Amino acid sequence: MSNEIITHKFRELLLPSLLIAMALNIASVVDASFVSTFIGHNAQAALQVLEPLVLLITIFEWLFGLGGQILALNKKAEFNADGSNHYFTTSMLATIVLSILILLVCFLFKDALINLLHPTAGSLPYVNAYSVYLFICFPIATVLGVLCQFIRVDGQPNFASGVIILVNIINIILNYVFLGIFHMGIEGASLAMLIGYIIGAICTLKYHFDSKRTFRFVLSKLKFKTWIASTIEIIKIGLPGASMGFFNVLLVYIMNLIVSGVLGELGLDIFNVCVSALLLISILIMGFAETLSSIVPIYYSQNDFYNLNHIVRNSLIITLVCSLVFTVFLLVYPDGLLMFFKLHQMPNDGLVENAIRLYSLAFVPMAFSTMLLFYYEGIERTVESGIITIISEFLGPLMFTYLLYPYIGINSVWVSFPLGFILSIVAVAVYVKIIERNDDEYFGLFFIRKGLIEKTRNYTLESKNDDEKSEMFSHLENLNADNSSIETLDKIINTIFDSNNGKVHVEILLIDYGDKITINMKDEGDREVMKGIEKSFSQDNIKVSEVMGFNNIEYVIEAN
């Protein structure tokens, strides 16, 4: 018994997820570095003032990209292609409409919006200059981010990776050209980002003309009322992750006011470095979390807890270890990050180093809480994910800043972030324990259905004569499955191997529900084989679909 298919699929999706997270985060880090190097610290402070607006892109990507993706994948797992296309179309249309509306609001009420962000006198000219191209970039970057979420789970993760890599390479190169060579000022950094996203959006046209894609626009079948209802449904699923971004916008806005009020531009510079450090580690954390949220809905809906346990455990271990390593690095050598932003020779460098060290303590608890958040979103546990979001991204840091400020001053801001993440983990653990006492169907933080554990078997076949196949058939006989059903299952398995020349692994999940036995088979072989099986065997008991690039076959044996 192995986890080859889920492990391979996780690795295949991870790189695009990391690169999509990078696209949403690295542009801010690169801009901050180039701006601080070629223009100065007032200009860098302007980027921190505009950070709440930049985070809006992340909000929309999670709201419609993640929410729509989860519902679309669930429909695929239920063998409903029309439903899957419906959620894809709804998600993309909602993204386009709402992001354009925000673009119009930004331009029509630009002065009021900038005043609301409370820039300092020294940063105000830079805020005005940078915001023009940033506003234009908003709908393009948002639509691209949401579309790439669907592309990566549609069997084309490498294409999604290529688009995101291209966007970031163009942004980095043009940042140097516009700022370092042509000395265009802060507008050059904003323009570089815009050009990168425009070229990336043009490249995605290839996906629209690809005959192999499974997500298709069905605008002709979409009625206005249905679109509104489905958009609300997508928002409901994506809201916990998106509200993470929304509360982060509010939190950054409030913290900007606090640090600028106490330390002026220096405070904004420090906070910008802290946020940049968080963005760097969050590329890894969000990459793993979003990959997990793409796979979890399929395996959880099929009650495949063996494979779920494998992939969740490994994801947690990797993200926690990497977060710990980055934390230790900043605790020991904060100058390594400060040199990147040209802050290592500033006055009060001890204050800056202390802020970095305290803030870095947030990385490990953030990794655990974020993985939990996206797992809960994948299994549609909105209350649990909401608890984590509200406490870790808003209430926790504000509460601890308020309570600790009289005792430790501005350090309360930096230490409030790790304390907020820890509080969110404790709060959701307590809530889950309360649920366990009232509902004996689930146990543990990950809501495993304990009644099915002993009724579930997992098998991995490497050939049609694999010993595990005989073991599975013996188990079916013990469950009183009729011989004809076992023979049909044997023929399906043999067809998969014979049609793929034996070069395939088949993962089988067998669950005894009492009134029926459900057998789910996954392989990464030829799609045409799956279509042949659908035609050759009974339509009443067999369903087939393609999910995330692998073949998914469900065979149901009714109880005698």
Side-chain angles (χ1 to χ4, degrees):
M1 187 162 50
S2 71
N3 312 94
E4 181 170 329
I5 289 180
I6 191 172
T7 301
H8 177 258
K9 186 56 58 179
F10 189 89
R11 290 172 180 169
E12 186 181 72
L13 293 174
L14 180 60
L15 180 59
S17 299
L18 288 171
L19 290 168
I20 289 171
M22 184 185 298
L24 297 170
N25 294 333
I26 203 69
S28 298
V29 178
V30 170
D31 281 357
S33 175
F34 277 104
V35 165
S36 64
T37 301
F38 293 109
I39 304 177
H41 299 298
N42 279 340
Q44 184 183 357
L47 297 184
Q48 183 57 35
V49 170
L50 288 166
E51 185 66 20
L53 296 182
V54 176
L55 290 172
L56 285 175
I57 299 174
T58 307
I59 293 175
F60 275 75
E61 192 233 338
W62 287 339
L63 193 64
F64 297 111
L66 195 59
Q69 174 199 126
I70 288 172
L71 290 171
L73 288 175
N74 276 337
K75 288 299 179 183
K76 277 193 173 187
E78 295 169 1
F79 309 92
N80 185 349
D82 289 339
S84 178
N85 289 332
H86 169 77
Y87 283 115
F88 168 68
T89 305
T90 300
S91 181
M92 292 307 304
L93 184 59
T95 303
I96 294 169
V97 170
L98 292 180
S99 60
I100 289 176
L101 287 176
I102 289 185
L103 169 67
L104 294 176
V105 169
C106 288
F107 273 114
L108 292 175
F109 304 99
K110 178 184 175 183
D111 292 338
L113 185 62
I114 290 177
N115 289 334
L116 185 64
L117 296 173
H118 291 282
T120 60
S123 65
L124 179 58
Y126 297 105
V127 171
N128 280 310
Y130 190 88
S131 62
V132 176
Y133 293 120
L134 174 65
F135 294 161
I136 299 173
C137 185
F138 184 84
I140 301 170
T142 306
V143 171
L144 180 64
V146 173
L147 181 59
C148 282
Q149 286 278 16
F150 284 96
I151 292 175
R152 73 184 178 87
V153 297
D154 196 19
Q156 300 188 44
N158 291 332
F159 177 62
S161 303
V163 171
I164 302 304
I165 289 173
L166 181 64
V167 168
N168 281 276
I169 289 176
I170 292 172
N171 183 40
I172 292 171
I173 293 174
L174 291 183
N175 259 294
Y176 177 75
V177 172
F178 292 162
L179 298 185
I181 298 177
F182 293 113
H183 306 291
M184 293 175 59
I186 198 170
E187 300 97 323
S190 184
L191 179 60
M193 181 170 60
L194 172 61
I195 293 174
Y197 277 111
I198 289 175
I199 295 175
I202 292 172
C203 290
T204 59
L205 292 174
K206 175 183 176 295
Y207 175 74
H208 297 291
F209 296 105
D210 192 338
S211 60
K212 294 182 179 180
R213 67 188 177 99
T214 61
F215 290 122
R216 299 190 176 276
F217 286 101
V218 287
L219 287 171
S220 60
K221 299 180 180 179
L222 194 64
K223 306 300 182 184
F224 181 75
K225 289 184 178 180
T226 306
W227 175 64
I228 294 296
S230 298
T231 298
I232 294 173
E233 189 178 359
I234 289 171
I235 290 173
K236 180 182 177 182
I237 298 300
L239 187 59
S243 60
M244 180 179 177
F246 174 73
F247 286 124
N248 202 4
V249 168
L250 291 179
L251 183 63
V252 168
Y253 172 71
I254 295 172
M255 292 302 191
N256 278 349
L257 297 180
I258 294 174
V259 297
S260 64
V262 177
L263 299 174
E265 275 87 3
L266 174 63
L268 290 173
D269 286 339
I270 295 173
F271 194 27
N272 182 256
V273 173
C274 290
V275 170
S276 295
L278 189 69
L279 290 176
L280 288 173
I281 191 62
S282 68
I283 290 172
L284 176 75
I285 295 171
M286 294 305 301
F288 273 88
E290 291 195 21
T291 303
L292 198 67
S293 68
S294 300
I295 292 178
V296 163
I298 297 168
Y299 284 85
Y300 193 86
S301 65
Q302 295 172 348
N303 296 314
D304 190 350
F305 299 116
Y306 169 74
N307 277 305
L308 268 182
N309 175 68
H310 168 76
I311 209 68
V312 171
R313 183 185 67 246
N314 289 348
S315 298
L316 278 172
I317 291 172
I318 293 172
T319 53
L320 290 174
V321 169
C322 292
S323 300
L324 180 61
V325 169
F326 193 42
T327 299
V328 171
F329 171 76
L330 292 182
L331 287 173
V332 175
Y333 188 57
D335 270 355
L337 186 65
L338 296 177
M339 289 172 65
F340 187 73
F341 293 96
K342 306 296 182 182
L343 290 175
H344 60 295
Q345 295 179 341
M346 288 187 65
N348 300 314
D349 58 340
L351 177 68
V352 181
E353 290 180 1
N354 186 57
I356 294 292
R357 288 191 174 103
L358 291 175
Y359 194 87
S360 68
L361 297 176
F363 299 160
V364 172
M366 183 190 78
F368 189 76
S369 66
T370 302
M371 297 298 283
L372 271 181
L373 168 65
F374 279 82
Y375 178 87
Y376 289 147
E377 193 159 316
I379 64 174
E380 300 182 28
R381 303 290 307 197
T382 54
V383 174
E384 291 79 3
S385 54
I387 289 172
I388 293 175
T389 300
I390 293 172
I391 294 177
S392 66
E393 298 295 333
F394 190 65
L395 292 182
L398 287 183
M399 180 184 72
F400 285 116
T401 298
Y402 176 78
L403 293 175
L404 297 177
Y405 191 86
Y407 305 101
I408 59 176
I410 195 64
N411 285 329
S412 62
V413 172
W414 321 126
V415 79
S416 70
F417 287 89
L419 292 176
F421 284 116
I422 293 171
L423 180 62
S424 70
I425 296 170
V426 172
V428 79
V430 170
Y431 181 77
V432 170
K433 277 293 182 184
I434 295 173
I435 292 178
E436 276 189 69
R437 292 181 180 178
N438 298 327
D439 187 350
D440 59 2
E441 180 183 359
Y442 303 101
F443 75 92
L445 274 174
F446 298 97
F447 287 91
I448 305 301
R449 292 187 175 94
K450 54 188 174 185
L452 292 178
I453 298 296
E454 64 274 10
K455 299 178 181 180
T456 301
R457 297 288 188 278
N458 291 81
Y459 305 94
T460 301
L461 307 185
E462 299 182 2
S463 71
K464 63 181 181 181
N465 298 316
D466 199 301
D467 290 339
E468 285 202 21
K469 185 168 79 168
S470 300
E471 181 184 333
M472 178 176 63
F473 289 165
S474 296
H475 179 62
L476 284 170
E477 290 172 357
N478 293 334
L479 295 177
N480 298 318
D482 60 277
N483 290 331
S484 63
S485 296
I486 296 176
E487 289 174 3
T488 299
L489 178 60
D490 190 31
K491 290 177 182 177
I492 294 172
I493 294 171
N494 290 340
T495 299
I496 293 172
F497 281 107
D498 291 340
S499 302
N500 287 285
N501 298 319
K503 298 178 181 179
V504 69
H505 287 72
V506 180
E507 285 187 2
I508 299 178
L509 170 70
L510 189 155
I511 303 179
D512 174 23
Y513 287 102
D515 59 335
K516 64 181 180 180
I517 301 169
T518 299
I519 301 163
N520 187 276
M521 292 165 274
K522 296 183 179 67
D523 70 81
E524 295 184 288
D526 191 345
R527 292 186 190 181
E528 298 303 318
V529 175
M530 181 178 62
K531 295 177 182 178
I533 290 173
E534 186 177 26
K535 293 178 181 178
S536 302
F537 296 91
S538 169
Q539 297 295 309
D540 294 332
N541 294 329
I542 292 179
K543 296 178 180 178
V544 303
S545 68
E546 187 210 342
V547 185
M548 293 195 305
F550 58 69
N551 299 323
N552 186 39
I553 302 173
E554 183 181 83
Y555 177 46
V556 178
I557 301 176
E558 301 295 341
N560 293 325

